[in-house]
Amino acid sequence: MNKKSLLLLLFIHFYLFISHAVAQDETIVFTPQWTAQAQFAGYYVAEAKGFYREAGVKVRIEHPSSTQPAMSRLRNNQCQATTLQLCQALEIIDGGIPLVNILQTSMNNAMVIVSARDKDPLTQKGAKVGIWSVGFGQLAICMSIKDHLDYQWVRFAQNVNLFVSGALDATLAMSYNEYYQLVQAGIKMTDKNVYRFCDHGYNVQEDGVYMTRDYYANHKELARRFAQASRKGWEWAAAHPDETLDIVMQYVDKNHIATNRVMQRLMLKEVLRLQVDRESKKREFRLRPDMVRQASRLMAENQMLGREVTYEELVSGK
């Protein structure tokens, strides 16, 4: 090997070493879409058990606030990754902000409608129905339009007080969150007054981890290692639910969240159940092309999207 070739080889090795070191030093600020709770247990575990560190990724978990929601933080480069429901991601991409899904945790839909006074939600045309002010209700709006229910949507922030007080005829709820709040408030739950979207042709995946296309394009290896370590956190959580709950409660206490261990145990159990695909009976951690098509077409048909967003856009950013 001549001197020129040796110098070139040394330069290449030095460049690769420096590039790896820079990647190691770069911190991913991860913002879940809501306050600290068991919905995000796998990420807490990955941090607490050192899975991110083992993967060579520095991760800082920062929760959103009322003035700085998760998507706003991502848009303003205050974080590099966030969790979003699939329908949310489709709306955001259609709105002009390209996103890439790097990890899918939810394999099933968790949304339900709970009606008061043991009434069937599908018989309550024109009913006042609670919906989250931060979004999440795209499928319910589509269902209301399709079935000519003409619901009057009443937005709420984060609890079930409006429904419990009798101000609403029905309310949307997540099976891992508000559903249990309603149970704890003494609301009777039956097959008649609880409509589960997953059982009526709306089983569309929800939570996944997203990055902007620009960030992902320049940090693909970092994104891969972050996703891999996050998946390891969720797998560990499924195998060690009691220890996971301890970790969740540390985050809850640190962030001064008004909840309790019983509620978080119920949430963790349900979130883990929703991660198991109905067909394969496995925890797959993948975005399903058929569910993307279903959600995109349904939303486009009901004028919630200007066009259909493709599976390829979501997984590659192209």
Side-chain angles (χ1 to χ4, degrees), residues 110-115 121 128-132 135-141 143 151 153-156 159-160 163 168-175 177-179 182 195 197:
M111 192 164 59
V112 303
I113 296 179
V114 179
S115 289
K128 293 180 180 179
V129 181
I131 189 172
W132 300 275
F136 308 156
Q138 293 88 347
L139 291 180
I141 294 172
M143 183 272 279
Y151 285 155
W153 299 107
V154 180
R155 299 196 174 274
F156 64 86
N159 58 46
V160 296
F163 179 74
L168 300 174
D169 301 305
T171 188
L172 296 182
M174 290 298 178
S175 65
N177 193 359
E178 293 87 4
Y179 179 90
L182 292 169
Y195 176 98
F197 283 81

Side-chain angles (χ1 to χ4, degrees), residues 64-85:
S65 66
S66 57
T67 57
Q68 288 187 323
M71 192 57 213
S72 175
R73 288 176 55 84
L74 188 71
R75 187 184 297 113
N76 296 325
N77 296 315
Q78 293 172 290
C79 69
Q80 288 71 51
T82 188
T83 53
L84 292 168
Q85 291 191 4

Side-chain angles (χ1 to χ4, degrees), residues 89-192:
L90 296 178
E91 278 191 329
I92 292 165
I93 292 172
D94 181 54
I97 302 176
L99 298 174
V100 178
N101 177 298
I102 65 168
L103 177 69
Q104 184 66 30
T105 54
S106 160
M107 297 302 294
N108 301 283
N109 196 275
M111 192 164 59
V112 303
I113 296 179
V114 179
S115 289
R117 296 173 291 280
D118 202 30
K119 291 185 177 180
D120 183 346
L122 297 185
T123 65
Q124 293 186 287
K125 291 189 176 184
K128 293 180 180 179
V129 181
I131 189 172
W132 300 275
S133 57
V134 292
F136 308 156
Q138 293 88 347
L139 291 180
I141 294 172
C142 289
M143 183 272 279
S144 175
I145 295 171
K146 181 180 177 182
D147 293 344
H148 308 289
L149 292 171
D150 301 320
Y151 285 155
Q152 300 177 50
W153 299 107
V154 180
R155 299 196 174 274
F156 64 86
Q158 60 180 340
N159 58 46
V160 296
N161 290 349
L162 278 176
F163 179 74
V164 173
S165 68
L168 300 174
D169 301 305
T171 188
L172 296 182
M174 290 298 178
S175 65
Y176 54 80
N177 193 359
E178 293 87 4
Y179 179 90
Y180 287 119
Q181 292 179 29
L182 292 169
V183 170
Q184 290 183 339
I187 301 299
K188 183 180 179 182
M189 301 293 192
T190 68
D191 291 338
K192 184 176 180 180

